[in-house]
């Protein structure tokens, strides 16, 4: 439901003639490197949209959709750290800062400034990315870091050496053809 609301908000904020592309394939992964163990997870259930005229961009990530190699890690992630029953989605809503024509073929290094919401805590962020437009297909790649403390994600003292304080996040998205 929140995914649909996010996309509807993006669409409603645009003029009626605006062209909006939605994600066809999107994956978000994260990696936590610590002295004791590395933790990684991946989801391919992310929803995303870009308004090509206003350059508004939005992503919604269902937290429970992250898949871990270790089922126990996945359970702890959802129940103890991200509290996915209470905060079911992470999201980013922002605007691409550069005045690039996303209807023309090319590779564009961009930044997007907006609100990153994880664990119910919204942070102002500017994220770097690369957008490639080729034959009407738009792809976006981004890598950024998330500090657990910035989103009030608490790690019990007993396992602080198991989980990094800063998590590496990668996003890859392919959008429907223009």
């Amino acid at each position: 439901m929140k995914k649909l609301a996010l996309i509807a908000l993006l669409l409603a904020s645009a003029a009626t003639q605006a062209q909006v592309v939605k994600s066809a394939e999107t994956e978000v992964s994260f990696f936590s490197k610590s002295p004791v163990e590395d933790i990684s997870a991946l989801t391919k259930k992310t929803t995303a949209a870009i308004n090509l005229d206003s350059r508004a961009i939005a992503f919604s990530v269902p937290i429970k959709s992250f898949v871990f190699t270790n089922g126990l890690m996945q359970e702890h992630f959802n129940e103890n750290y991200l509290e996915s029953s209470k905060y079911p989605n992470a999201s980013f809503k922002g605007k691409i800062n550069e005045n690039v024509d996303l209807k023309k073929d090319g590779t564009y290094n961009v930044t997007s400034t907006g609100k990153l919401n994880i664990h119910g805590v919204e942070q102002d962020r500017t994220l770097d990315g690369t957008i490639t437009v080729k034959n009407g297909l738009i792809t976006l790649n981004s890598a950024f870091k998330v500090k657990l403390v910035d989103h009030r994600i608490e790690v019990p003292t007993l396992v602080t050496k198991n989980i990094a304080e800063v998590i590496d996040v990668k996003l890859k998205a392919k959008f429907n053809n223009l």
Side-chain angles (χ1 to χ4, degrees):
M1 181 59 105
K2 285 189 178 185
K3 287 188 256 184
L4 293 174
L6 180 64
I7 300 301
L9 178 65
L10 182 63
L11 295 172
S13 69
T16 53
Q17 297 297 326
Q19 188 169 7
V20 175
V21 292
K22 298 176 193 160
S23 58
E25 294 176 39
T26 306
E27 64 181 51
V28 175
S29 62
F30 68 82
F31 182 73
S32 165
K33 180 156 186 70
S34 72
V36 176
E37 65 185 325
D38 295 340
I39 301 169
S40 62
L42 171 75
T43 181
K44 294 185 178 186
K45 305 223 183 222
T46 299
T47 304
I50 301 175
N51 179 314
L52 299 178
D53 297 321
S54 69
R55 298 182 320 277
I57 188 166
F59 286 86
S60 179
V61 183
I63 298 301
K64 286 184 179 178
S65 68
F66 279 102
V67 177
F68 293 69
T69 54
N70 178 323
L72 189 57
M73 282 182 186
Q74 189 165 332
E75 183 180 324
H76 288 172
F77 171 82
N78 281 296
E79 292 178 8
N80 302 329
Y81 304 115
L82 271 286
E83 301 175 277
S84 57
S85 294
K86 189 174 181 182
Y87 308 107
N89 295 295
S91 64
F92 178 80
K93 293 182 276 186
K95 184 174 180 179
I96 297 168
N97 296 315
E98 293 72 22
N99 192 18
V100 295
D101 185 351
L102 298 176
K103 297 175 186 174
K104 288 178 60 176
D105 282 5
T107 299
Y108 310 99
N109 291 321
V110 295
T111 57
S112 182
T113 300
K115 305 280 186 185
L116 178 65
N117 187 319
I118 301 172
H119 196 238
V121 178
E122 199 170 73
Q123 292 282 317
D124 291 325
R125 293 290 303 267
T126 298
L127 305 177
D128 296 325
T130 301
I131 294 177
T132 302
V133 182
K134 186 173 182 179
N135 299 324
L137 180 66
I138 297 174
T139 57
L140 167 66
N141 288 292
S142 180
F144 56 95
K145 297 186 180 297
V146 173
K147 291 182 182 178
L148 299 182
V149 68
D150 287 349
H151 295 278
R152 296 188 199 118
I153 299 169
E154 296 178 15
V155 178
T157 311
L158 183 64
V159 293
T160 54
K161 294 202 184 283
N162 296 37
I163 300 172
E165 294 177 16
V166 178
I167 307 299
D168 294 318
V169 178
K170 290 184 181 177
L171 169 93
K172 297 177 184 178
K174 291 181 182 178
F175 293 85
N176 294 324
N177 284 357
L178 301 174

